[in-house]
Amino acid sequence: MPGKKGKKGKGKGKGKKGKKGAKKAKKAESKIAIAAASAKVWEAKLDMVERSRQDFRDNARKLAFQNDELMTAMTQTEKDTIDVITFLKKQDQEKDEQVEKLHRHIKDIKKEHRKEKETIIDDCNDQVRQLEEKLGKKNRDVEVLQGELKVVKEFRKKRGQMQRELDEIKDAMFVANKDHKGTLTRMEQKFFEEKMRLQQEANQKIAELLKKHI
């Protein structure tokens, strides 16, 4: 029984040594593979760096060219800006002069307009005054006409009564005239009779005087 155990132990030792060698070989292969992969990575990185450096050079040249173009454009822009500013200043000055001219013109127009307004107001006041005078005269004329119309209306109202009074006056005058004629006739008759009587008395006195003197 023990002898069998010894045999088994030796076999196991050989197996372990084989496995260790295989592991070492695998580790070596793994290191080589890692080194190769690392080399490829560094090559890729180097290639990327070279491409980056080339791109950087290209970009630097482009940037330098663009910078030159920008400087030229800026110079032209500054020149254009100065020209525009000069033109705008000139326009502002011209506009200021125009504005000042317009202010003077407006001031003159306002002054003239004020004079015209005062003249128009004076004319309107004169016309209003004349119209008021005419209106006052018309009102007085209307009042006179209204008074006359009132008199005419009252006359029309009283015309019948006045006509009757006139007829009565005419009748009274006719009667008075008739009475006057009668009175006058009677007075003439009385005067004639008195005249005849006085003449007779005178004749008698004359006759008596004549008798006395004869």
Side-chain angles (χ1 to χ4, degrees), residues 161-175:
Q161 181 180 354
M162 292 175 67
Q163 186 66 42
R164 289 190 298 273
E165 291 178 355
L166 183 60
D167 292 339
E168 291 176 357
I169 291 171
K170 286 181 179 180
D171 293 339
M173 288 179 66
F174 177 76
V175 172

Side-chain angles (χ1 to χ4, degrees), residues 73-210:
M74 284 177 65
T75 303
Q76 185 63 36
T77 301
E78 287 178 357
K79 184 177 179 300
D80 294 340
T81 302
I82 292 171
D83 293 338
V84 169
I85 291 172
T86 303
F87 177 73
L88 290 175
K89 284 183 177 179
K90 185 178 179 181
Q91 277 193 338
D92 288 338
Q93 185 177 359
E94 290 176 355
K95 287 181 179 178
D96 291 338
E97 292 176 355
Q98 290 179 355
V99 169
E100 182 64 25
K101 185 177 179 180
L102 286 173
H103 280 312
R104 290 195 300 270
H105 185 61
I106 291 171
K107 187 176 180 180
D108 294 337
I109 290 174
K110 285 182 177 180
K111 185 177 180 181
E112 185 178 357
H113 178 69
R114 185 168 56 252
K115 290 182 179 179
E116 291 178 353
K117 184 178 178 182
E118 290 175 355
T119 303
I120 292 171
I121 290 172
D122 292 337
D123 292 339
C124 289
N125 289 331
D126 292 337
Q127 291 179 4
V128 169
R129 192 161 45 249
Q130 292 175 3
L131 289 173
E132 287 177 348
E133 291 176 356
K134 290 181 180 179
L135 182 61
K137 186 176 181 301
K138 292 291 183 184
N139 288 332
R140 290 191 295 274
D141 293 340
V142 169
E143 289 176 357
V144 172
L145 290 174
Q146 287 177 347
E148 292 178 352
L149 181 62
K150 185 177 181 181
V151 171
V152 170
K153 288 181 178 179
E154 291 177 355
F155 174 75
R156 286 179 180 176
K157 290 179 181 179
K158 296 179 179 180
R159 185 172 59 182
Q161 181 180 354
M162 292 175 67
Q163 186 66 42
R164 289 190 298 273
E165 291 178 355
L166 183 60
D167 292 339
E168 291 176 357
I169 291 171
K170 286 181 179 180
D171 293 339
M173 288 179 66
F174 177 76
V175 172
N177 189 25
K178 185 176 180 181
D179 292 340
H180 177 68
K181 286 182 178 180
T183 301
L184 184 61
T185 302
R186 288 192 298 271
M187 288 178 68
E188 287 177 352
Q189 182 65 31
K190 186 177 180 180
F191 176 76
F192 179 75
E193 290 176 354
E194 187 65 23
K195 181 180 178 182
M196 292 300 294
R197 185 181 65 77
L198 292 172
Q199 188 173 0
Q200 286 177 0
E201 288 180 354
N203 289 332
Q204 287 177 2
K205 286 181 179 181
I206 291 170
E208 288 176 356
L209 290 171
L210 285 173

